[in-house]
Short mmCIF file of all heavy atoms in Angstrom, two decimals:
data_model
loop_
_atom_site.label_atom_id
_atom_site.label_comp_id
_atom_site.label_asym_id
_atom_site.label_seq_id
_atom_site.Cartn_x
_atom_site.Cartn_y
_atom_site.Cartn_z
N TYR A 1 103.45 66.98 78.78
CA TYR A 1 103.47 68.42 79.06
C TYR A 1 104.08 68.66 80.44
O TYR A 1 104.04 67.78 81.31
CB TYR A 1 102.05 69.01 79.01
CG TYR A 1 101.38 68.92 77.66
CD1 TYR A 1 100.63 67.79 77.32
CD2 TYR A 1 101.48 69.95 76.73
CE1 TYR A 1 99.99 67.69 76.08
CE2 TYR A 1 100.86 69.87 75.49
CZ TYR A 1 100.12 68.74 75.18
OH TYR A 1 99.50 68.65 73.96
N ASP A 2 104.59 69.87 80.63
CA ASP A 2 105.08 70.24 81.95
C ASP A 2 104.02 71.04 82.69
O ASP A 2 102.89 71.20 82.21
CB ASP A 2 106.40 71.01 81.86
CG ASP A 2 106.24 72.38 81.23
OD1 ASP A 2 105.12 72.69 80.76
OD2 ASP A 2 107.22 73.15 81.19
N GLN A 3 104.37 71.57 83.86
CA GLN A 3 103.40 72.24 84.73
C GLN A 3 102.88 73.55 84.13
O GLN A 3 101.81 74.02 84.50
CB GLN A 3 104.04 72.52 86.09
CG GLN A 3 103.05 72.86 87.18
CD GLN A 3 103.72 72.99 88.53
OE1 GLN A 3 104.94 73.08 88.61
NE2 GLN A 3 102.94 72.99 89.60
N SER A 4 103.62 74.14 83.19
CA SER A 4 103.19 75.38 82.56
C SER A 4 102.41 75.15 81.27
O SER A 4 102.04 76.12 80.60
CB SER A 4 104.41 76.26 82.24
OG SER A 4 105.28 75.61 81.33
N GLY A 5 102.19 73.89 80.91
CA GLY A 5 101.45 73.59 79.69
C GLY A 5 102.31 73.52 78.44
O GLY A 5 101.77 73.44 77.33
N LEU A 6 103.62 73.53 78.60
CA LEU A 6 104.54 73.45 77.47
C LEU A 6 104.70 72.00 77.03
O LEU A 6 104.98 71.13 77.85
CB LEU A 6 105.90 74.04 77.84
CG LEU A 6 106.98 74.02 76.76
CD1 LEU A 6 106.60 74.93 75.61
CD2 LEU A 6 108.33 74.43 77.34
N GLU A 7 104.55 71.75 75.73
CA GLU A 7 104.72 70.41 75.20
C GLU A 7 106.20 70.03 75.20
O GLU A 7 107.03 70.72 74.63
CB GLU A 7 104.16 70.33 73.78
CG GLU A 7 104.28 68.96 73.14
CD GLU A 7 103.84 68.94 71.70
OE1 GLU A 7 102.84 69.64 71.38
OE2 GLU A 7 104.48 68.26 70.88
N ILE A 8 106.52 68.89 75.84
CA ILE A 8 107.91 68.46 75.99
C ILE A 8 108.25 67.32 75.03
O ILE A 8 109.28 67.35 74.35
CB ILE A 8 108.20 68.03 77.44
CG1 ILE A 8 107.98 69.21 78.39
CG2 ILE A 8 109.61 67.49 77.59
CD1 ILE A 8 108.16 68.85 79.84
N HIS A 9 107.38 66.30 74.99
CA HIS A 9 107.67 65.13 74.18
C HIS A 9 106.42 64.70 73.42
O HIS A 9 105.28 64.94 73.86
CB HIS A 9 108.13 63.94 75.04
CG HIS A 9 109.40 64.20 75.78
ND1 HIS A 9 110.62 64.33 75.17
CD2 HIS A 9 109.62 64.35 77.11
CE1 HIS A 9 111.55 64.55 76.08
NE2 HIS A 9 110.98 64.57 77.27
N ARG A 10 106.67 64.05 72.30
CA ARG A 10 105.62 63.34 71.57
C ARG A 10 106.06 61.88 71.48
O ARG A 10 107.07 61.57 70.86
CB ARG A 10 105.43 63.91 70.17
CG ARG A 10 104.39 63.15 69.34
CD ARG A 10 104.17 63.83 68.00
NE ARG A 10 105.37 63.78 67.19
CZ ARG A 10 105.68 62.80 66.35
NH1 ARG A 10 104.87 61.76 66.22
NH2 ARG A 10 106.79 62.84 65.63
N LEU A 11 105.31 60.99 72.11
CA LEU A 11 105.65 59.58 72.14
C LEU A 11 105.11 58.92 70.87
O LEU A 11 103.93 58.56 70.79
CB LEU A 11 105.08 58.91 73.39
CG LEU A 11 105.47 59.58 74.72
CD1 LEU A 11 104.87 58.80 75.88
CD2 LEU A 11 106.97 59.68 74.87
N LYS A 12 105.98 58.77 69.87
CA LYS A 12 105.54 58.29 68.56
C LYS A 12 105.16 56.81 68.57
O LYS A 12 104.44 56.35 67.68
CB LYS A 12 106.64 58.54 67.53
CG LYS A 12 107.95 57.83 67.82
CD LYS A 12 108.99 58.15 66.76
CE LYS A 12 110.30 57.42 67.06
NZ LYS A 12 111.33 57.72 66.03
N HIS A 13 105.67 56.05 69.55
CA HIS A 13 105.33 54.63 69.61
C HIS A 13 103.90 54.40 70.11
O HIS A 13 103.33 53.33 69.86
CB HIS A 13 106.30 53.89 70.52
CG HIS A 13 107.70 53.83 69.99
ND1 HIS A 13 108.06 53.07 68.91
CD2 HIS A 13 108.83 54.47 70.39
CE1 HIS A 13 109.35 53.22 68.66
NE2 HIS A 13 109.84 54.05 69.55
N HIS A 14 103.33 55.37 70.81
CA HIS A 14 101.99 55.23 71.38
C HIS A 14 100.99 55.92 70.45
O HIS A 14 100.86 57.15 70.47
CB HIS A 14 101.93 55.84 72.78
CG HIS A 14 102.92 55.24 73.74
ND1 HIS A 14 102.55 54.34 74.72
CD2 HIS A 14 104.25 55.38 73.85
CE1 HIS A 14 103.62 53.98 75.40
NE2 HIS A 14 104.66 54.60 74.89
N GLN A 15 100.32 55.14 69.63
CA GLN A 15 99.41 55.68 68.63
C GLN A 15 97.98 55.21 68.90
O GLN A 15 97.75 54.07 69.30
CB GLN A 15 99.84 55.24 67.23
CG GLN A 15 101.21 55.74 66.83
CD GLN A 15 101.62 55.25 65.45
OE1 GLN A 15 100.93 54.44 64.85
NE2 GLN A 15 102.75 55.73 64.96
N ASP A 16 97.03 56.13 68.65
CA ASP A 16 95.60 55.82 68.76
C ASP A 16 95.29 55.21 70.13
O ASP A 16 94.68 54.14 70.24
CB ASP A 16 95.19 54.86 67.65
CG ASP A 16 93.71 54.96 67.32
OD1 ASP A 16 93.07 55.90 67.82
OD2 ASP A 16 93.20 54.10 66.58
N VAL A 17 95.70 55.91 71.20
CA VAL A 17 95.59 55.41 72.57
C VAL A 17 94.25 55.82 73.18
O VAL A 17 93.78 56.95 72.99
CB VAL A 17 96.76 55.95 73.42
CG1 VAL A 17 96.55 55.64 74.90
CG2 VAL A 17 98.07 55.34 72.94
N ASN A 18 93.64 54.89 73.93
CA ASN A 18 92.38 55.15 74.63
C ASN A 18 92.56 55.38 76.13
O ASN A 18 91.86 56.19 76.72
CB ASN A 18 91.40 53.99 74.42
CG ASN A 18 90.92 53.89 73.00
OD1 ASN A 18 90.72 54.91 72.33
ND2 ASN A 18 90.74 52.67 72.51
N LYS A 19 93.50 54.63 76.76
CA LYS A 19 93.67 54.71 78.21
C LYS A 19 95.15 54.78 78.57
O LYS A 19 96.00 54.18 77.91
CB LYS A 19 93.03 53.49 78.89
CG LYS A 19 91.53 53.59 79.05
CD LYS A 19 91.15 54.68 80.04
CE LYS A 19 89.65 54.74 80.25
NZ LYS A 19 89.30 55.80 81.23
N LEU A 20 95.43 55.48 79.67
CA LEU A 20 96.79 55.63 80.20
C LEU A 20 96.82 55.21 81.66
O LEU A 20 95.84 55.41 82.40
CB LEU A 20 97.28 57.07 80.09
CG LEU A 20 97.45 57.66 78.68
CD1 LEU A 20 97.75 59.15 78.79
CD2 LEU A 20 98.57 56.96 77.94
N GLU A 21 97.95 54.63 82.09
CA GLU A 21 98.21 54.33 83.50
C GLU A 21 99.68 54.60 83.77
O GLU A 21 100.53 54.36 82.91
CB GLU A 21 97.88 52.88 83.84
CG GLU A 21 96.41 52.61 84.10
CD GLU A 21 95.88 53.27 85.36
OE1 GLU A 21 96.69 53.60 86.25
OE2 GLU A 21 94.66 53.44 85.47
N PHE A 22 99.97 55.09 84.99
CA PHE A 22 101.36 55.37 85.37
C PHE A 22 101.71 54.55 86.61
O PHE A 22 100.97 54.56 87.59
CB PHE A 22 101.56 56.85 85.66
CG PHE A 22 102.98 57.20 86.02
CD1 PHE A 22 103.98 57.19 85.06
CD2 PHE A 22 103.33 57.54 87.31
CE1 PHE A 22 105.28 57.49 85.38
CE2 PHE A 22 104.63 57.85 87.65
CZ PHE A 22 105.61 57.83 86.67
N LEU A 23 102.84 53.82 86.53
CA LEU A 23 103.32 53.02 87.66
C LEU A 23 104.37 53.84 88.40
O LEU A 23 105.50 54.01 87.91
CB LEU A 23 103.93 51.71 87.16
CG LEU A 23 103.05 50.89 86.20
CD1 LEU A 23 103.77 49.63 85.76
CD2 LEU A 23 101.73 50.55 86.84
N PRO A 24 104.06 54.40 89.57
CA PRO A 24 104.95 55.37 90.22
C PRO A 24 106.26 54.80 90.72
O PRO A 24 107.27 55.51 90.74
CB PRO A 24 104.10 55.92 91.37
CG PRO A 24 103.10 54.84 91.65
CD PRO A 24 102.83 54.19 90.35
N TYR A 25 106.28 53.53 91.13
CA TYR A 25 107.51 52.96 91.68
C TYR A 25 108.45 52.45 90.58
O TYR A 25 109.61 52.17 90.85
CB TYR A 25 107.18 51.83 92.65
CG TYR A 25 106.31 52.27 93.80
CD1 TYR A 25 104.98 51.91 93.87
CD2 TYR A 25 106.83 53.09 94.81
CE1 TYR A 25 104.18 52.33 94.93
CE2 TYR A 25 106.05 53.51 95.85
CZ TYR A 25 104.72 53.14 95.91
OH TYR A 25 103.93 53.57 96.95
N HIS A 26 107.93 52.30 89.37
CA HIS A 26 108.74 51.82 88.25
C HIS A 26 108.98 52.90 87.20
O HIS A 26 109.72 52.68 86.25
CB HIS A 26 108.06 50.61 87.58
CG HIS A 26 107.74 49.50 88.52
ND1 HIS A 26 106.65 49.52 89.35
CD2 HIS A 26 108.37 48.32 88.76
CE1 HIS A 26 106.60 48.40 90.06
NE2 HIS A 26 107.63 47.66 89.72
N PHE A 27 108.31 54.04 87.35
CA PHE A 27 108.39 55.15 86.39
C PHE A 27 108.05 54.65 84.99
O PHE A 27 108.74 54.94 84.01
CB PHE A 27 109.78 55.79 86.41
CG PHE A 27 109.98 56.75 87.55
CD1 PHE A 27 110.28 56.28 88.81
CD2 PHE A 27 109.85 58.11 87.37
CE1 PHE A 27 110.45 57.14 89.88
CE2 PHE A 27 110.02 58.99 88.42
CZ PHE A 27 110.32 58.51 89.67
N LEU A 28 106.95 53.91 84.88
CA LEU A 28 106.51 53.37 83.62
C LEU A 28 105.15 53.95 83.26
O LEU A 28 104.24 53.98 84.09
CB LEU A 28 106.41 51.84 83.67
CG LEU A 28 107.71 51.05 83.78
CD1 LEU A 28 107.41 49.56 83.86
CD2 LEU A 28 108.62 51.33 82.60
N LEU A 29 105.02 54.42 82.02
CA LEU A 29 103.75 54.88 81.49
C LEU A 29 103.20 53.79 80.59
O LEU A 29 103.84 53.40 79.60
CB LEU A 29 103.93 56.19 80.71
CG LEU A 29 102.66 56.77 80.08
CD1 LEU A 29 101.68 57.20 81.15
CD2 LEU A 29 103.01 57.92 79.16
N ALA A 30 102.02 53.26 80.92
CA ALA A 30 101.40 52.19 80.15
C ALA A 30 100.22 52.76 79.36
O ALA A 30 99.49 53.62 79.86
CB ALA A 30 100.92 51.06 81.07
N SER A 31 100.07 52.27 78.13
CA SER A 31 98.98 52.75 77.28
C SER A 31 98.39 51.58 76.51
O SER A 31 99.08 50.59 76.21
CB SER A 31 99.48 53.81 76.30
OG SER A 31 100.33 53.24 75.33
N VAL A 32 97.11 51.69 76.16
CA VAL A 32 96.43 50.71 75.34
C VAL A 32 95.42 51.46 74.49
O VAL A 32 94.87 52.48 74.91
CB VAL A 32 95.75 49.62 76.22
CG1 VAL A 32 94.57 50.20 76.98
CG2 VAL A 32 95.33 48.43 75.39
N GLY A 33 95.21 50.95 73.27
CA GLY A 33 94.34 51.68 72.35
C GLY A 33 93.56 50.78 71.42
O GLY A 33 93.34 49.58 71.69
N ASN A 34 93.16 51.36 70.29
CA ASN A 34 92.31 50.64 69.34
C ASN A 34 93.04 49.51 68.64
O ASN A 34 92.40 48.58 68.15
CB ASN A 34 91.76 51.63 68.31
CG ASN A 34 90.78 52.61 68.92
OD1 ASN A 34 90.03 52.27 69.83
ND2 ASN A 34 90.80 53.86 68.46
N ALA A 35 94.37 49.59 68.55
CA ALA A 35 95.13 48.52 67.89
C ALA A 35 95.26 47.27 68.75
O ALA A 35 95.65 46.22 68.25
CB ALA A 35 96.52 49.03 67.50
N GLY A 36 94.96 47.38 70.05
CA GLY A 36 95.03 46.21 70.93
C GLY A 36 96.42 45.91 71.44
O GLY A 36 96.68 44.78 71.86
N TYR A 37 97.32 46.89 71.44
CA TYR A 37 98.68 46.70 71.94
C TYR A 37 98.85 47.41 73.28
O TYR A 37 98.49 48.59 73.41
CB TYR A 37 99.71 47.25 70.95
CG TYR A 37 99.97 46.35 69.77
CD1 TYR A 37 99.17 46.43 68.63
CD2 TYR A 37 101.01 45.43 69.77
CE1 TYR A 37 99.39 45.60 67.54
CE2 TYR A 37 101.24 44.60 68.68
CZ TYR A 37 100.43 44.70 67.57
OH TYR A 37 100.66 43.88 66.49
N LEU A 38 99.39 46.70 74.26
CA LEU A 38 99.73 47.28 75.55
C LEU A 38 101.21 47.68 75.50
O LEU A 38 102.08 46.83 75.28
CB LEU A 38 99.48 46.29 76.68
CG LEU A 38 99.92 46.70 78.09
CD1 LEU A 38 99.17 47.94 78.55
CD2 LEU A 38 99.73 45.56 79.08
N LYS A 39 101.50 48.96 75.71
CA LYS A 39 102.85 49.48 75.54
C LYS A 39 103.33 50.13 76.83
O LYS A 39 102.55 50.78 77.54
CB LYS A 39 102.90 50.49 74.39
CG LYS A 39 102.44 49.90 73.07
CD LYS A 39 102.49 50.91 71.94
CE LYS A 39 101.98 50.29 70.63
NZ LYS A 39 102.05 51.23 69.50
N TYR A 40 104.63 49.97 77.11
CA TYR A 40 105.27 50.52 78.30
C TYR A 40 106.39 51.47 77.89
O TYR A 40 107.21 51.13 77.03
CB TYR A 40 105.86 49.41 79.18
CG TYR A 40 104.84 48.55 79.89
CD1 TYR A 40 104.29 47.43 79.27
CD2 TYR A 40 104.43 48.84 81.18
CE1 TYR A 40 103.38 46.62 79.92
CE2 TYR A 40 103.50 48.05 81.84
CZ TYR A 40 102.99 46.94 81.21
OH TYR A 40 102.08 46.16 81.86
N GLN A 41 106.42 52.65 78.52
CA GLN A 41 107.46 53.65 78.26
C GLN A 41 108.06 54.08 79.59
O GLN A 41 107.33 54.43 80.53
CB GLN A 41 106.87 54.87 77.54
CG GLN A 41 107.88 55.92 77.15
CD GLN A 41 108.37 55.73 75.73
OE1 GLN A 41 107.70 55.12 74.91
NE2 GLN A 41 109.56 56.24 75.43
N ASP A 42 109.40 54.04 79.68
CA ASP A 42 110.10 54.49 80.88
C ASP A 42 110.20 56.02 80.83
O ASP A 42 110.86 56.58 79.95
CB ASP A 42 111.49 53.87 80.95
CG ASP A 42 112.15 54.05 82.30
OD1 ASP A 42 111.92 55.10 82.93
OD2 ASP A 42 112.90 53.16 82.73
N THR A 43 109.54 56.71 81.76
CA THR A 43 109.51 58.16 81.74
C THR A 43 110.75 58.79 82.37
O THR A 43 110.96 60.00 82.24
CB THR A 43 108.26 58.68 82.47
OG1 THR A 43 108.28 58.19 83.83
CG2 THR A 43 107.00 58.21 81.78
N SER A 44 111.58 58.00 83.07
CA SER A 44 112.80 58.56 83.67
C SER A 44 113.96 58.60 82.67
O SER A 44 114.77 59.52 82.70
CB SER A 44 113.21 57.75 84.90
OG SER A 44 113.49 56.40 84.54
N THR A 45 114.03 57.61 81.78
CA THR A 45 115.10 57.56 80.78
C THR A 45 114.59 57.84 79.37
O THR A 45 115.40 58.06 78.46
CB THR A 45 115.77 56.17 80.79
OG1 THR A 45 114.80 55.17 80.46
CG2 THR A 45 116.34 55.87 82.16
N GLY A 46 113.28 57.81 79.15
CA GLY A 46 112.73 57.99 77.82
C GLY A 46 112.78 56.75 76.96
O GLY A 46 112.43 56.80 75.77
N GLN A 47 113.18 55.62 77.51
CA GLN A 47 113.34 54.39 76.74
C GLN A 47 112.00 53.69 76.58
O GLN A 47 111.19 53.60 77.50
CB GLN A 47 114.32 53.45 77.45
CG GLN A 47 114.57 52.16 76.72
CD GLN A 47 115.50 51.24 77.48
OE1 GLN A 47 115.92 51.58 78.58
NE2 GLN A 47 115.83 50.09 76.91
#
């Protein structure tokens, strides 16, 4: 979401997530959930 509450993206690779962490110097969003997979998403390029 952006600062006004508008939905911008839906990250389809991150499913059933319990916890989120953001690495500020790498622009990486990390998630882990019930499936037991740790996933990394680049928030600057969307990759």
Side-chain angles (χ1 to χ4, degrees):
Y1 296 89
D2 68 354
Q3 196 175 13
S4 62
L6 180 66
E7 180 185 322
I8 298 177
H9 298 291
R10 177 176 65 89
L11 305 182
K12 61 181 180 180
H13 293 289
H14 302 256
Q15 298 178 353
D16 205 10
V17 171
N18 292 324
K19 280 292 182 179
L20 295 172
E21 279 292 339
F22 182 71
L23 309 179
Y25 301 107
H26 305 79
F27 280 80
L28 291 179
L29 179 66
S31 70
V32 69
N34 292 325
Y37 282 86
L38 175 62
K39 302 180 181 181
Y40 289 87
Q41 184 94 24
D42 193 326
T43 58
S44 61
T45 62
Q47 181 182 3

